[in-house]
Amino acid sequence: MENDEGPARGDITIEAVLAALDHPLRLRVVRALAATREMTCQEILPEVTKSTASHHWKVLREAGVVEQRREGRYLYLRLRRDDLDSRFPGVVDAVVLG
Amino acid sequence: MENDEGPARGDITIEAVLAALDHPLRLRVVRALAATREMTCQEILPEVTKSTASHHWKVLREAGVVEQRREGRYLYLRLRRDDLDSRFPGVVDAVVLG
DNA sequence: GTAACAGTTCGATTCAAGTCGTACAATCGG
DNA sequence: CCGATTGTACGACTTGAATCGAACTGTTAC
């Protein structure tokens, strides 16, 4: 199936990344993922409903900020740090170090 | 009077910067200011009304992205590149080159 | 002084984004 | 197979940001 893994490295735009990061919950997701290698969805945003969380995964995925790996019924999220650092050096660090 | 020049370097937050940059017009302002030293307000956004433009200056100013210098009745805007580069290295470059 | 100009502020409107609930698809466990 | 669980898709509601017009302040020019 569609490894719907978002844009290729070269197609990541700064506009989409900025829009994706301009939200407190998504910012928390990125910071959490920067600290851990991988995380399942519900580990990160326990306070919102599934549909809301899913919406935020989608925004982050389509912006090229995260990628996902499916294992059974669980979904593991990972920060696309190499791609982001290669395309927009310093941006992830700025967000993580805050 | 009120040199209402926005936050001091150390008080600039990445959240406010991201929010300020997450808008097509403000992004254009930053890119234009990065290319030129200074610009008057209307040089940058001729297509919107004064009140709309003023709103965007305010967002950029309060986020610490730009500073302004008054000369008579004209307002000159300048990108706070040193402050931003010092606090969040790479972010301005990502936006400008992006 | 007065008229013109630059920018801010306020209120009202419009519109996109976030949120949730429900229904659905897919997977695992019995 | 059947029920429980994980995540998605869709529609509806709500909230906040963007936009504009009008009124106001301050400055320049005559």
Side-chain angles (χ1 to χ4, degrees), chain A residues 57-68:
Chain A
W57 311 148
K58 189 176 186 178
V59 175
L60 289 167
R61 203 189 320 132
E62 293 182 343
V65 176
V66 305
E67 60 190 350
Q68 55 191 21

Side-chain angles (χ1 to χ4, degrees), chain A residues 63-87:
Chain A
V65 176
V66 305
E67 60 190 350
Q68 55 191 21
R69 181 176 63 85
R70 175 149 225 131
E71 191 168 318
R73 44 184 166 168
Y74 295 95
L75 213 55
Y76 289 85
L77 297 185
R78 209 167 43 201
L79 188 61
R80 294 179 63 177
R81 201 182 233 290
D82 292 344
D83 291 334
L84 293 170
D85 285 347
S86 134
R87 207 150 153 54

Side-chain angles (χ1 to χ4, degrees), chain A residues 12-75:
Chain A
I12 302 178
T13 68
I14 189 64
E15 286 86 352
V17 172
L18 291 172
L21 297 180
D22 181 24
H23 191 282
L25 290 182
R26 293 195 292 261
L27 203 56
R28 253 184 43 206
V29 171
V30 170
R31 284 172 169 155
L33 287 175
T36 316
R37 223 352 128 211
E38 278 186 330
M39 281 180 107
T40 65
C41 288
Q42 6 185 37
E43 290 183 294
I44 316 184
L45 294 179
E47 77 234 43
V48 296
T49 62
K50 297 185 298 175
S51 48
T52 297
S54 182
H55 164 68
H56 290 305
W57 311 148
K58 189 176 186 178
V59 175
L60 289 167
R61 203 189 320 132
E62 293 182 343
V65 176
V66 305
E67 60 190 350
Q68 55 191 21
R69 181 176 63 85
R70 175 149 225 131
E71 191 168 318
R73 44 184 166 168
Y74 295 95
L75 213 55

